Structures are given as C-alpha cells and as structure tokens.
Amino acid sequence: MTEITRGEIVRVGVDLAKHVIQIHAVDQAGRTVAAKPLPREKFLAWCTLQLPSGCLIAMEACGGAHHWARRLQEMGFDARLIAGHFVGPYRMQGKSGKNDANDAAAVCEAASRPSMRFVPIKTAQQQALLSVHRLREGYKEERTACINRIRGLLTEYGLVFAQSPEVLRLALQDTLEDASNELPALARMALQRAHLQWIETECHIAWCDERITAHVRTDVQAKAAAQLCGIGPVTASALVASVGDFTQFKTGSQFGAWLGLVPSQNSSGGRASLGRITKRGDDYLRTLLIQGAKSAVMSAHKRSDRISQWLVQLKERVGWQKAVVALANKNARIVWAVLAKGRVFDPNHVPVKPGEIVGAVGSAMVATA
C-alpha cells in the first residue's frame, strides 16, 4: 500500500466564532493537512508556527472578520474574506450538514476558485466611520418607536395629533400642561419621561450627524461624492467608508451591480427577460442612494441641467419609481467614475462613444489637411 504524503499547507479555510475557531488546511494537491478547532487565543500562534509566509487564509465575512484579516496581513499572510452566500454552494453536505468543520472546508474550497469574488478588507478607520452610521440608524429606529409609543398613549385618552413629528413635538408640552384633559397625574409623568427620551435620542442623532459632516468636510473623496444631485453628506460618507478603494471595481456598471441596483435576469435560449432589481450587496448604501434619488426626482423640474432634464423625461415615460432606481444606479456609476478615475463631476456632461471620438478626430485631421 502506497502512503500518501501530505505537502506544505498552501490554503486555509477558517470558520470564525466567539470562542472557538475551526480551521481546514490543504496542500497544493487539495489534500487535507489539518482540520481541527482552535481556542481563540491560540489561532494566531498556530498560524505563525504551522503556515508558510504568504499562505492564503480565507474567512467568511462576518463579525470580527475584518479584525482577524488585518492581524493576519500584518503577520505576512494573504488574508481574504468571502461573502457568506458564496460559501454555501461549496459545502459538500448541503444545507442539512452545516457545522463548523464543514463550513471551514467550504470556505477553503471556495477560496480556491479562480473566479471567486472576495470582500475588500476594511481599515479600522473605515469601521469607525461605519460604526457612527450604524449608531445613527439605531437611534432613528429608537426615535420612531418612542414617537409611536407617545402617540399610542395619548390616543388612549382621546388625544390624536397629525402624523408629523414636528406637530406632535409642538403640541406635546401644551397637552401635558393642559389640566382640562383627562390625563391622570401618573400618565403625565410617564409621558414626560417618554418626551425626555425623545429629546435625548435627538441629541444622539445630532452628534452622529456632526461626525458625518466633519468626515465629508475633511475627506476629499466624500466631498467629491457629495457634489452629485441626490447624494448628501450621509450617503457620501457611507459610500467612502464602505468601499474605500473604488478601483477594485472595473467599471461603474460593476459597482452598480455590486449595490444591487441592476435588474435581475431570468434569461434562456437567447431571450432576455429582466425583472426587478437584484437588491444584492449593502442594504444601507442602496437605501441611501434610492432615498436621495427620490428627492432629486421630485425636484428635477426645478433644475435645467442635462441629468434633471433626463429625469423629467424618464419620469413621464416610465413612472417616478423606475426613474428613482435609474437615477440611483446612474449616481452609483458617476461616483465610481469620479472616485476611481479622478474625474470632476459635471451635471451637463455629454457622453461620447469611442467611435465618435475617432470620427471627430478624423474629421479634424481632414479639415486641417
């Protein structure tokens, strides 16, 4: 019987967890060299002792993955992150065989594919900016819940106000001080505490807005992105913090597809069948782009630049909802062109096809001759 000799480890798949990290290492021939769980505190030491410099270490993009990737890169390893939905198809046991060992093996197999798309590793500063955005979104949800809670309590006593938060804010204090309504003393105290919570949440949101505004004011990329119609400071800051290096995308259309702003396809036999947008990628970025596009589409008739005129015509032809998504996708592609190629945004830019440029140059040469 011929003994199978294991070679040097060339690729490692890692399944991260809070306390135990599962590893699956293979050699150049794809044979398993090591497959075992490691305590969290021993993972980096194992990598140092067992892995050669430059070894590929792949992990599923999840909580803490960017931190581990940065640490491994500092140690000289080729750390890469893979989106979870790209790992699942490589799990040999299927959905019913999901466990840490099988997941690590699937990550290792997925990392070996030449066409695999990896998640860019974020810097600590990028994650710090995104933490402000995440806090802001959480505070917005808390504010909405607090307002709805106040409305519900007031409705129990026959006090109903318009849906606008500003209307409720102006009327709430007078309602609590009005002795003619039937609010009991205990209910008034409860509503006062809810009002204080509302005010405190507004202060937290204002702090987040200040940090985001400061980022846009000092960051060249964010400042350039904020010049587009339909992209404000929050969207510009989130785009720069989430993507970082825009040159990782080959084209603007690839960036739009990464954000999930392109139609889904169900094509076969040479017949193209397009559906709704794919909604892949970062939900937060896509939501910000679409919300900003809504504002731009609604006010497009007040502006005279080429993009606004195009929006007015598009809205009349396909409706405002499709026009909003079209503008969100266009803004994503323009942002890529501005930040990846260093171009200056011009709302009156006239796109010219390469063939037209050649023809124009040829005509000029003929005229000169």
Side-chain angles (χ1 to χ4, degrees), residues 267-281:
S267 305
S268 179
R271 180 178 179 181
S273 178
L274 303 180
R276 298 181 177 180
I277 59 173
T278 62
K279 295 186 178 180
R280 295 175 179 172

Side-chain angles (χ1 to χ4, degrees), residues 13 133 197 221 224 233 239 269 303 349:
H133 285 269
Q197 181 186 0
Q221 286 189 318
L239 283 169
R303 298 184 297 273
H349 172 71

Side-chain angles (χ1 to χ4, degrees), residues 168-198:
L168 179 62
R169 189 198 310 274
L170 295 174
L172 182 58
Q173 191 62 38
D174 294 336
T175 302
L176 295 177
E177 296 176 357
D178 185 5
S180 62
N181 56 47
E182 63 173 7
L183 280 174
L186 183 58
R188 294 179 192 273
M189 289 189 292
L191 287 167
Q192 285 175 350
R193 296 186 69 85
H195 189 202
L196 291 175
Q197 181 186 0
W198 184 3

Side-chain angles (χ1 to χ4, degrees), residues 251-262 278 329 332-333:
T251 62
S253 58
Q254 188 182 72
F255 180 50
W258 180 75
L259 291 170
L261 291 169
V262 297
T278 62
N329 188 25
R333 298 169 72 161

Side-chain angles (χ1 to χ4, degrees), residues 302-320:
K302 301 179 181 179
R303 298 184 297 273
S304 59
D305 57 274
R306 286 182 55 86
I307 294 180
S308 298
Q309 293 176 358
W310 168 76
L311 279 176
V312 172
Q313 297 173 2
L314 185 66
K315 179 182 176 183
E316 294 176 354
R317 189 170 69 251
V318 301
W320 77 275

